[in-house]
Amino acid sequence: HIEGSGVLGIVDDTSTTVFKKDTVTVDGDLGITGDVDVRTGNVRIRSGQIYPDDLQKYSSSNFTPNANEGNWQRLIKSGGGTFTLNSISNHKVGALYTFTLENPGSSNVNLTFNSNYKFANGIKPNIIRANSEIVLSVVVQKANVFLCTWAEDYS
């Protein structure tokens, strides 16, 4: 348990708490609301993993991914018809996003993309086969330019 300025190595005022130590160890969970800004150095995980919650989104015809909801999102469409992937909202230049486009139904789903998605060699998927999925990997090159690669037919 750490409390305000009475603890050695901590400078605390109304807007900022500064730890004046070379190493700060937290035993247990650390909850952070807001951004984590690493000013210098690297981020290293000595043990364990970095992963998002399993965010499943169901859609009848189109979907607008919200990057603030995570870098990996499962987009699920069944029942045939057409599915359109709209531009990513709240994206950050340099960010990496992965979308799993899933069709648990027994009919193929026609697939279209917003023009911000750019595919290697201009080859993009146009259907999600019945009972199948496509994994779409996206790099945000600049605002509203999403460089994509994709794969399907996992076995």
Side-chain angles (χ1 to χ4, degrees):
H1 182 80
I2 298 174
E3 293 184 9
S5 59
V7 177
L8 184 63
I10 296 177
V11 177
D12 198 15
D13 64 33
T14 58
S15 63
T16 305
T17 299
V18 177
F19 297 95
K20 297 205 175 254
K21 297 286 185 180
D22 290 338
T23 302
V24 176
T25 301
V26 176
D27 293 324
D29 292 341
L30 174 64
I32 298 172
T33 301
D35 295 336
V36 175
D37 183 13
V38 178
R39 294 187 178 106
T40 61
N42 300 306
V43 176
R44 179 174 61 173
I45 305 301
R46 294 178 188 261
S47 172
Q49 303 176 47
I50 296 175
Y51 60 93
D53 290 333
D54 183 2
L55 181 64
Q56 299 179 31
K57 297 285 189 165
Y58 294 84
S59 177
S60 60
S61 62
N62 63 68
F63 184 74
T64 301
N66 181 348
N68 287 341
E69 293 180 337
N71 292 68
W72 173 60
Q73 297 179 28
R74 292 175 61 193
L75 312 177
I76 302 167
K77 164 75 168 94
S78 62
T82 298
F83 178 80
T84 299
L85 190 61
N86 297 326
S87 188
I88 305 167
S89 68
N90 300 306
H91 63 274
K92 302 292 184 196
V93 173
L96 308 173
Y97 302 103
T98 301
F99 303 111
T100 306
L101 310 175
E102 300 179 21
N103 175 10
S106 59
S107 300
N108 289 346
V109 171
N110 295 316
L111 184 58
T112 61
F113 294 89
N114 174 278
S115 62
N116 293 343
Y117 294 91
K118 311 296 182 193
F119 290 84
N121 301 311
I123 300 169
K124 59 185 168 186
N126 60 359
I127 63 169
I128 308 172
R129 299 183 202 296
N131 297 304
S132 187
E133 60 277 321
I134 292 173
V135 175
L136 180 69
S137 298
V138 178
V139 176
V140 180
Q141 181 187 33
K142 54 187 172 183
N144 295 310
V145 176
F146 312 138
L147 304 182
C148 305
T149 58
W150 60 281
E152 66 176 338
D153 291 334
Y154 293 90
S155 57

